[in-house]
Amino acid sequence: KEILILNAFTDPAKTTDQIKTIDSTLTTWTTMHNALQFGDDALKFPSEHSPKLTELYQNIKPNLKQIIQTAEEIVQNRKSGSSPELNQPLIARIIDHQKLFLQKMNLIVGQYETEAFQKVTLQRNTEYGILAFTLLVLLLELQFIFKPTNKNIEELILKLLASEKKALKLAYN
């Protein structure tokens, strides 16, 4: 979009501002793409990917490279004062690669979504397993600790009550 805007400007001041914007965008875009692909501690992007994601990033690399190189070529042409019409074939190249790039990025996003869903499913199943184990432990505690303890306490209370009755009877006699 910014390349199309640059190519529409004829005013040198606006052209210079747009070139600065494009340079900033290309730097940000390249940095973010590298952070996604290779990881970034500051942005908390993982450096390890599944083999499928690594393959998808390799497949997208030529399109990304072509878009960046062509954009830089267009910027150089405009800096040198060449006519915007000379950039039309270069803009067409960017548009062609942009379509492929976006299709491949959609595949990458889909793969991230699939892997995230698998991780969430695994975590949920693990939590259910832990819940079942905890409930089992509580039931076993009830069966083998609390019930026998309760029974012993009841027997002890009954014995104490019987002893009290005997003591009262003896005291009365």
Side-chain angles (χ1 to χ4, degrees):
K1 176 184 94 174
E2 292 175 2
I3 292 293
L4 293 172
I5 292 170
L6 171 66
N7 216 44
F9 287 145
T10 54
D11 180 23
K14 287 183 179 180
T15 300
T16 304
D17 288 343
Q18 188 62 23
I19 287 172
K20 288 178 185 174
T21 302
I22 290 171
D23 287 339
S24 173
T25 299
L26 285 174
T27 301
T28 303
W29 189 32
T30 304
T31 302
M32 288 299 131
H33 187 78
N34 287 335
L36 275 173
Q37 185 174 0
F38 303 113
D40 187 299
D41 291 336
L43 297 172
K44 297 183 181 173
F45 290 159
S47 58
E48 297 295 321
H49 297 295
S50 67
K52 179 70 176 172
L53 276 172
T54 303
E55 177 186 338
L56 290 171
Y57 276 118
Q58 289 302 318
N59 289 341
I60 205 171
K61 192 180 267 185
N63 300 105
L64 176 68
K65 187 176 178 182
Q66 273 298 315
I67 291 170
I68 291 172
Q69 285 176 346
T70 306
E72 289 171 347
E73 191 176 336
I74 290 170
V75 167
Q76 281 305 106
N77 287 348
R78 289 309 306 263
K79 281 181 181 177
S80 67
S82 65
S83 169
E85 289 79 30
L86 294 176
N87 289 331
Q88 290 304 325
L90 298 174
I91 290 173
R93 186 184 321 158
I94 285 180
I95 291 171
D96 291 341
H97 284 282
Q98 168 255 338
K99 289 176 188 174
L100 293 170
F101 177 82
L102 291 177
Q103 289 171 352
K104 291 176 182 181
M105 276 306 292
N106 282 336
L107 292 175
I108 290 172
V109 170
Q111 184 63 29
Y112 272 117
E113 184 179 349
T114 300
E115 290 178 14
F117 181 75
Q118 289 170 348
K119 288 177 184 177
V120 167
T121 302
L122 176 64
Q123 183 177 2
R124 182 179 13 179
N125 292 340
T126 303
E127 287 174 359
Y128 285 145
I130 291 171
L131 175 64
F133 178 74
T134 302
L135 291 175
L136 176 66
V137 167
L138 289 174
L139 286 173
L140 292 173
E141 283 180 0
L142 177 69
Q143 183 68 30
F144 295 110
I145 295 175
F146 293 119
K147 279 191 175 182
T149 303
N150 189 32
K151 187 176 178 185
N152 288 340
I153 290 173
E154 285 177 1
E155 288 174 4
L156 182 63
I157 290 173
L158 289 174
K159 285 180 184 178
L160 286 173
L161 288 173
S163 293
E164 182 184 9
K165 282 183 185 179
K166 282 182 186 178
L168 284 174
K169 191 175 183 183
L170 283 174
Y172 180 71
N173 288 338

